């Protein structure tokens, strides 16, 4: 194969759909030995001339090209439902109009479509200077792409000091990324691409309150545990239109005066009980719980989020539920005088308290 020169290497990088490593370039020309050193020398020259740039991942691309992975922001959804975005990190004054990124529809079920102004981390495939294809790696409403901490004003600008002791450094915050936050606020920042920067940057996406707020300790503990009070849109979407089922295949328990035992300020009523003495001196007992499995189906977005949370978490000033409010405080709460789907355990015991018989049923109940 012909020995590569500066023009052929530049053309290879410019025509590539994604940034190339030094190994990719050497492999493309199928060269070895002393010629490898020549390729390295040409790459250094091209970098010094500004004809190419090197990413943090040690890959080469044209100056106006995007890295193989970048954060983008949705700017348009056309009549056909096609989603277009632009790079979140782009300086129009120095780089000109930003390239458009067409987002490839996600194959995974349960992931909601991106909306205008949504941000996502995407892998990119380049078609031209002006057009890329993007595949979503992670939506940035995912807490894994966020950091919580205290906003502090310093001489050179604002920084976010993470609340987590595991954090190794602070994050810079540009004035345009403050979004109304002020010195001393407890905030959540969205981690931004750090291409060519010594320290990572964040964009403030949520202001939780002041560091002097008594609720600050709960907020910090919540975030450090990887919890959030907000549910992904895909989870909320699955609760839309859910209603109490009819009696088909269920036992009608509404004539039993089932009683929930909860505090006066309780919002979620988890279980209900009933006891009645029978003619032989024994007792008929019923314990009923909400039929959560009717609403949360295996493999659904609700199921995955409940599995991730594991349980409802209680703080002194708040509760972070395992399920969205439409379920935890409504359909799966055995509220008085309202029909609710339930799982019920019928038990019959004798005068000595020994179990004589039992039956587990799906039912419809109405607590008193």
């Amino acid at each position: 194969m012909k020995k590569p020169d500066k023009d052929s290497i530049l053309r290879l990088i410019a025509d590539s759909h994604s940034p190339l490593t030094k190994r990719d370039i050497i492999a493309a020309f199928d060269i070895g030995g002393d010629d490898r050193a020549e390729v390295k020398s040409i790459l250094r020259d091209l970098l010094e001339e500004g004809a190419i740039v090197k990413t943090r991942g040690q890959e080469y691309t044209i100056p106006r090209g995007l890295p193989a992975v970048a954060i983008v922001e949705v700017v348009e959804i056309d009549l056909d439902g096609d989603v277009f975005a632009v790079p979140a990190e782009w300086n129009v004054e120095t780089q000109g109009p930003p390239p458009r990124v067409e987002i490839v529809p996600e194959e995974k079920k349960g992931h909601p479509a991106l909306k205008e102004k949504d941000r996502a981390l995407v892998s990119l495939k380049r078609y031209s200077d002006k057009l890329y294809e993007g595949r979503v790696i992670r939506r940035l409403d995912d807490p894994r792409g966020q950091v919580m901490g205290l906003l502090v004003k310093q001489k050179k600008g604002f920084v976010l000091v993470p609340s987590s002791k595991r954090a190794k450094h602070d994050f810079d915050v540009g004035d345009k990324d403050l979004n109304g936050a002020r010195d001393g606020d407890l905030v959540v920042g969205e981690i931004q691409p750090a291409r060519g920067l010594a320290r990572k940057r964040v964009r403030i996406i949520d202001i939780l309150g002041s560091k002097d707020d008594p609720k600050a300790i709960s907020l910090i503990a919540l975030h450090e545990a990887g919890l959030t009070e907000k549910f992904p849109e895909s989870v909320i979407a699955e609760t839309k239109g859910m209603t109490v089922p009819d009696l088909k295949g269920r036992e009608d328990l509404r004539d039993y005066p089932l009683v929930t035992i909860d505090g006066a300020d309780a919002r979620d009523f988890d279980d209900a009980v009933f006891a009645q003495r029978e003619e032989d001196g024994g007792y008929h007992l019923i314990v009923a719980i909400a039929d959560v499995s009717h609403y949360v189906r295996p493999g659904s977005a609700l199921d995955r989020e409940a599995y991730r949370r594991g349980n409802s978490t209680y703080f002194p000033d708040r509760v972070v539920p395992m399920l969205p409010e439409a379920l935890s405080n409504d359909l799966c709460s055995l509220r008085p005088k309202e029909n609710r789907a339930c799982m019920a355990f019928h038990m019959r015991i004798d005068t000595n308290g020994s179990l004589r018989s039992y039956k587990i049923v799906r039912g419809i109940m109405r607590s008193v």
Side-chain angles (χ1 to χ4, degrees):
M1 189 173 184
K2 182 181 177 182
K3 182 178 178 180
D5 55 16
K6 186 179 291 186
D7 288 340
S8 61
I9 290 176
L10 182 59
R11 188 163 54 252
L12 174 69
I13 295 172
D15 291 342
S16 175
H17 290 319
S18 57
L20 300 174
T21 64
K22 195 178 298 179
R23 180 177 295 179
D24 292 334
I25 296 167
I26 290 172
F29 289 104
D30 192 25
I31 57 176
D34 293 339
D35 289 340
R36 294 189 178 191
E38 181 65 20
V39 168
K40 294 176 183 178
S41 176
I42 291 173
L43 289 172
R44 282 195 297 269
D45 291 343
L46 290 171
L47 283 170
E48 290 176 2
E49 294 168 7
I52 61 174
V53 293
K54 184 187 287 189
T55 70
R56 289 175 66 90
Q58 302 299 304
E59 299 166 313
Y60 299 89
T61 185
I62 58 175
R64 295 181 63 185
L66 297 174
V69 175
I71 293 175
V72 299
E73 181 171 326
V74 176
V75 294
E76 179 189 349
I77 301 175
D78 66 18
L79 293 176
D80 295 324
D82 294 328
V83 179
F84 294 92
V86 296
E89 265 313 288
W90 192 267
N91 188 321
V92 176
E93 293 183 3
T94 60
Q95 297 175 278
R100 285 166 66 84
V101 178
E102 183 172 0
I103 304 297
V104 176
E106 296 183 72
E107 296 178 358
K108 293 181 180 180
K109 295 181 179 180
H111 287 224
L114 291 167
K115 306 187 303 298
E116 287 190 22
K117 296 186 178 181
D118 281 353
R119 290 191 173 203
L121 182 69
V122 300
S123 61
L124 295 169
K125 183 177 182 180
R126 179 174 171 272
Y127 288 105
S128 70
D129 291 352
K130 298 293 185 182
L131 181 64
Y132 287 75
E133 175 187 275
R135 292 183 178 274
V136 175
I137 298 173
R138 184 172 74 237
R139 292 173 60 113
L140 290 182
D141 56 7
D142 188 324
R144 288 176 295 178
Q146 300 171 4
V147 59
M148 177 187 183
L150 186 67
L151 187 66
V152 178
K153 187 173 184 180
Q154 299 181 341
K155 288 183 179 180
K156 295 183 179 180
F158 287 90
V159 298
L160 188 155
V161 180
S163 60
S164 174
K165 295 179 181 179
R166 295 191 297 268
K168 298 179 180 179
H169 52 75
D170 299 339
F171 294 82
D172 291 327
V173 185
D175 290 343
K176 65 181 179 62
D177 293 325
L178 289 171
N179 288 329
R182 296 180 295 180
D183 183 33
D185 281 346
L186 194 61
V187 297
V188 176
E190 176 187 89
I191 299 173
Q192 302 298 293
R195 190 179 183 186
L197 299 177
R199 189 159 66 177
K200 290 187 177 182
R201 296 172 51 249
V202 296
R203 179 177 71 108
I204 304 304
I205 59 172
D206 199 4
I207 302 171
L208 303 177
S210 168
K211 64 180 180 180
D212 299 320
D213 190 330
K215 298 179 181 179
I217 294 176
S218 290
L219 292 170
I220 293 171
L222 186 153
H223 197 272
E224 288 188 345
L227 298 171
T228 175
E229 293 178 280
K230 296 179 181 178
F231 284 84
E233 291 181 14
S234 58
V235 175
I236 298 298
E238 288 188 353
T239 67
K240 303 297 184 184
M242 286 185 171
T243 59
V244 177
D246 57 31
L247 273 171
K248 184 177 181 181
R250 292 178 177 270
E251 182 176 327
D252 190 348
L253 301 170
R254 290 175 293 181
D255 288 336
Y256 291 102
L258 285 148
V259 178
T260 56
I261 305 173
D262 292 278
D265 59 348
R267 298 175 64 189
D268 53 333
F269 301 93
D270 302 317
D271 46 30
V273 296
F274 163 81
Q276 184 179 49
R277 190 163 190 169
E278 298 188 309
E279 292 181 0
D280 62 0
Y283 285 88
H284 176 201
L285 310 177
I286 301 176
V287 177
I289 62 172
D291 187 0
V292 179
S293 61
H294 172 75
Y295 303 101
V296 183
R297 299 303 174 94
S300 64
L302 274 165
D303 183 40
R304 292 193 298 271
E305 183 65 14
Y307 180 84
R308 188 184 74 81
R309 294 179 178 232
N311 51 259
S312 296
T313 305
Y314 292 81
F315 293 91
D317 57 350
R318 73 193 65 221
V319 176
V320 181
M322 184 175 70
L323 298 171
E325 188 170 356
L327 296 181
S328 61
N329 291 338
D330 190 356
L331 292 172
C332 293
S333 178
L334 307 179
R335 300 193 301 205
K337 298 179 174 57
E338 295 186 28
N339 288 355
R340 287 293 180 264
C342 69
M343 296 288 294
F345 193 172
H346 288 276
M347 294 169 283
R348 282 183 162 80
I349 61 174
D350 62 24
T351 54
N352 296 317
S354 298
L355 182 65
R356 295 190 306 191
S357 64
Y358 69 89
K359 180 175 66 170
I360 300 174
V361 299
R362 272 196 153 93
I364 296 292
M365 62 162 284
R366 184 196 295 260
S367 66
V368 296

